[in-house]
Amino acid sequence: MKAVRMVKAGEPLAVQEIPIPAIGEKDILVRVRAAGICHSDAHYRAGRSTMGMLPITLGHEVAGLVEKTGASVTNVKVGDRVALHYNISCGDCYQCSTGNDQFCSNVKMIGHHVDGGYAEYLAVPARNAIPLPNEIPFEAGATLMCASATSLHALRKARLKAGETVAIFGVGGLGLSAIQLAKALGAVEVFAVDIKDEKLELAAEYGAIPVNGSRVDAVDEIRRLTKGKGVDVGIEMIGLHNTMQQTVLSLGVMGRAVIVGISQIPLEVNPYQTLIGYEAEIIGSNDHLLSELPLLIDMARRKILDTSHVVSQTVPLDADKINKRLDDLENYTNDIRAVIVP
Ligand SMILES: [Zn+2]
Ligand SMILES: [Zn+2]
């Protein structure tokens, strides 16, 4: 079969002919129908993350059709439409047994530690397959497995309750999902902070109150719009030091700031004024759980989560075209969300 693979860190991906993977008795073989090209893939190609092996087929946002099932597989059958959870956890270690499978001590991520979806087929454990209803196109199903899932997890970490207010910093793929999911979970007001007007316009279409951080001080504006109270939940999805501080400073009494964007710069807080004075919390959110994906897919099926704006381009399983999209992501030249359709 054809696969577009990372052969060496820092070099363009290359097309290779490799055998169709063999499956074990608990595995399925999936014929890839859509594989998202994610910003993480640009990091991997550049060599900024340790890969499980080389060469490796990238692609962790995958949806497709079950082509073959192992002898003991019962949850899916040949021909089923499925989307794949990208973390292959063992199910048996302490973290898996206590409901935190994203911290599995034996975790392997598809397209990072084992071969992923930039290929005609891939093999995964059957428990990683989530049935994908006909209403959700494969392209949308694939991208739901990354940014939207991480947004849902962040909102769950925030313990968002009906009637609360939310500020979301960063209106990319994560932020747009978070706006819709926050409303679905009962948020009465969602503020969307970004510096790009076109992103804020889309945020407003989904019912958010736009705050352009390049024109106003986001914290002052959120305080003004909430009559001084601040928000119950702030979610940082950019990974910038400044917006992390703003997220924390936007909180009201009992507020929870959830940090999703990645940064290694220390975050300073005034313990008395910022935390103790409000009984505020700062919460880290890492990835998402297998158990959250069926709910997410159901929300997309019911159009509570609109996926029609997510994918802006499809590309064939072609190394040059995929490398070009990864170059764009690397250089931030455009925000096109591309999906490979083999
Ligand atoms: Zn991704
Ligand atoms: Zn485990």
Side-chain angles (χ1 to χ4, degrees):
M1 69 169 188
K2 197 161 116 181
V4 172
R5 311 188 84 202
M6 176 173 164
V7 179
K8 200 166 164 226
E11 288 190 357
L13 306 184
V15 66
Q16 291 188 339
E17 275 297 324
I18 57 170
I20 292 175
I23 57 167
E25 68 167 36
K26 293 180 173 176
D27 300 334
I28 55 171
L29 182 70
V30 175
R31 176 187 280 268
V32 178
R33 295 294 303 271
I37 300 178
C38 180
H39 213 121
S40 303
D41 297 325
H43 288 296
Y44 300 157
R45 187 187 63 165
R48 288 190 290 270
S49 181
T50 308
M51 307 306 286
M53 58 184 195
L54 283 177
I56 185 169
T57 309
L58 299 189
H60 56 271
E61 304 177 359
V62 190
L65 289 167
V66 177
E67 178 84 9
K68 205 167 157 188
T69 58
S72 62
V73 172
T74 54
N75 63 325
V76 290
K77 58 183 191 313
V78 171
D80 281 359
R81 303 172 91 246
V82 290
L84 304 180
H85 178 42
Y86 56 59
N87 279 332
I88 299 173
S89 54
C90 72
D92 295 322
C93 72
Y94 176 78
Q95 300 298 351
C96 283
S97 310
T98 50
N100 301 311
D101 59 76
Q102 80 273 46
F103 299 109
C104 171
S105 47
N106 309 305
V107 73
K108 288 188 172 68
M109 181 178 170
I110 66 173
H112 187 193
H113 304 117
V114 295
D115 281 334
Y118 289 12
E120 291 175 274
Y121 297 93
L122 87 165
V124 290
R127 65 193 286 270
N128 277 61
I130 322 288
L132 186 67
N134 289 329
E135 296 93 323
I136 305 174
F138 286 111
E139 293 91 325
T143 57
L144 280 173
M145 296 293 100
C146 190
S148 304
T150 300
S151 292
L152 177 61
H153 183 68
L155 288 162
R156 289 164 60 98
K157 291 291 292 182
R159 309 188 305 278
L160 175 65
K161 295 190 291 291
E164 291 194 319
T165 56
V166 180
I168 289 163
F169 289 77
V171 188
L174 285 159
L176 280 179
S177 294
I179 290 165
Q180 299 173 65
L181 293 169
K183 295 213 130 209
L185 295 171
V188 287
E189 258 179 344
V190 179
F191 301 96
V193 184
D194 207 288
I195 55 170
K196 288 194 175 152
D197 281 324
E198 65 272 20
K199 289 187 175 183
L200 289 168
E201 278 163 27
L202 195 50
E205 277 179 39
Y206 286 122
I209 298 159
V211 175
N212 189 320
S214 69
R215 288 204 280 274
V216 291
D217 180 288
V219 176
D220 289 348
E221 184 68 0
I222 288 168
R223 292 254 166 229
R224 187 180 72 77
L225 293 166
T226 55
K227 301 185 174 58
K229 288 210 301 278
V231 288
D232 298 301
V233 168
I235 301 196
E236 206 284 344
M237 301 191 135
I238 306 169
L240 290 177
H241 180 254
N242 183 38
T243 46
M244 282 191 194
Q245 290 210 301
Q246 289 179 331
T247 305
V248 175
L249 293 173
S250 301
L251 297 179
V253 166
M254 302 290 171
R256 288 90 68 200
V258 178
I259 309 296
V260 182
I262 295 170
S263 164
Q264 304 208 49
I265 301 169
L267 175 64
E268 310 93 42
V269 290
N270 179 318
Y272 182 41
Q273 283 164 18
T274 309
L275 294 182
I276 301 164
Y278 282 88
E279 286 203 1
E281 298 171 53
I282 302 175
I283 300 166
S285 182
N286 184 352
D287 237 329
H288 53 268
L289 301 166
L290 173 60
S291 59
E292 290 164 335
L293 295 175
L295 170 64
L296 185 74
I297 295 225
D298 197 47
M299 286 170 120
R301 181 182 70 80
R302 293 170 190 274
K303 310 257 190 287
I304 294 168
L305 176 64
D306 173 32
T307 55
S308 63
H309 283 286
V310 178
V311 179
S312 38
Q313 192 186 51
T314 58
V315 296
L317 187 59
D318 174 285
D320 290 344
K321 292 200 168 74
I322 295 168
N323 280 311
K324 173 74 177 66
R325 290 276 73 83
L326 289 169
D327 294 343
D328 289 344
L329 289 169
E330 188 72 43
N331 304 321
Y332 291 94
T333 42
N334 63 43
D335 278 337
I336 285 178
R337 191 74 168 83
V339 170
I340 301 164
V341 176

